Amino acid sequence: MQKENKQLLVITHLSQLLDVVTGFGGFIVPLIIWLTQKDTVVNMDENGKAIMNFRISMFLYFIICIPMILLFGLGLLGFLGLGILTFVFPIVNAVRVSNDEQPYYPMSIKFL
């Protein structure tokens, strides 16, 4: 039986910001929460998949930006834009989830 736990969903979205605070954990912590709680918490599976798809997509976009640095510095603009996205959207989606709305991560490729 699944139970509703909005606080854990919010924490899962906000745990992506661990990269900003500690430098690591922004991928591993939400992954662990999602894998351990997807069968027990309502909407955890879809939220976890959205987070993981976003994180994997952002990683790929960061990799693409590296060679683009040689192209008139476009990679630097890419890094800046992606940095803003990876900081803002976990907060936006934590608020959305707390208001019973579906999470939305832009530029997310569906891997899961």
Side-chain angles (χ1 to χ4, degrees):
M1 185 171 106
Q2 290 187 331
K3 61 183 178 194
E4 188 171 329
N5 191 344
K6 278 194 227 178
Q7 293 169 336
L8 186 60
L9 292 174
V10 169
I11 289 170
T12 306
H13 284 280
L14 292 178
S15 66
Q16 297 176 74
L17 298 176
L18 284 172
D19 285 342
V20 176
V21 177
T22 64
F24 65 93
F27 182 82
I28 298 295
V29 173
L31 177 65
I32 291 171
I33 295 172
W34 170 53
L35 290 175
T36 59
Q37 300 297 317
K38 68 181 178 181
D39 296 326
T40 59
V41 176
V42 175
N43 294 330
M44 178 59 81
D45 193 39
E46 65 186 37
N47 280 273
K49 286 179 182 177
I51 292 169
M52 290 299 109
N53 286 332
F54 179 68
R55 296 298 297 196
I56 294 168
S57 299
M58 289 300 113
F59 177 74
L60 291 176
Y61 295 139
F62 273 113
I63 296 298
I64 291 169
C65 284
I66 292 172
M68 288 181 63
I69 291 174
L70 301 174
L71 219 71
F72 309 112
L74 291 176
L76 297 176
L77 290 175
F79 283 138
L80 179 65
L82 292 173
I84 291 169
L85 284 176
T86 56
F87 182 76
V88 170
F89 276 94
I91 297 168
V92 168
N93 284 307
V95 172
R96 288 178 63 105
V97 166
S98 70
N99 293 330
D100 288 328
E101 298 175 31
Q102 296 297 319
Y104 171 71
Y105 286 101
M107 299 173 53
S108 237
I109 302 168
K110 285 204 170 200
F111 294 105
L112 305 173

